[in-house]
Amino acid sequence: MWSLNVHGIKSEGRLQELRQECIAKEEPGLLLIQETWRPNPIECEKIGKWTFYGTGNETKSRGNGTGILVHEDIKA
């Protein structure tokens, strides 16, 4: 399990950096993300072997939002 304060993945460039890191990291685990600054109240995205679940704030995205990345090898 890892934790990361991303200081925002609101822009497509910052989100792409996170996607590249996920694809490169093959070790199974959970990654907890703080301050995503995403505008979407709820979102889910498959990134390589990871699934990103996130929350944001439509009216004030800066400083808000959390997320978790779950590797596909993690079973409920």
Side-chain angles (χ1 to χ4, degrees):
M1 183 180 299
W2 303 271
S3 178
L4 179 63
N5 185 327
V6 293
H7 299 290
I9 51 173
K10 187 175 181 179
S11 73
E12 185 57 36
R14 294 291 302 264
L15 187 56
Q16 187 60 30
E17 287 177 27
L18 180 63
R19 288 181 183 127
Q20 290 172 350
E21 289 293 323
C22 290
I23 291 169
K25 187 160 187 59
E26 294 292 323
E27 184 179 348
L30 301 171
L31 176 58
L32 309 173
I33 304 173
Q34 299 88 41
E35 293 188 33
T36 60
W37 301 5
R38 302 290 293 163
N40 306 333
I42 300 172
E43 60 186 315
C44 177
E45 178 182 346
K46 182 79 171 149
I47 305 172
K49 294 185 176 188
W50 297 84
T51 302
F52 170 73
Y53 301 95
T55 64
N57 187 309
E58 291 176 339
T59 58
K60 185 182 173 198
S61 61
R62 186 170 174 81
N64 288 295
T66 60
I68 184 169
L69 282 152
V70 180
H71 193 275
E72 67 184 21
D73 288 347
I74 303 294
K75 305 295 182 206

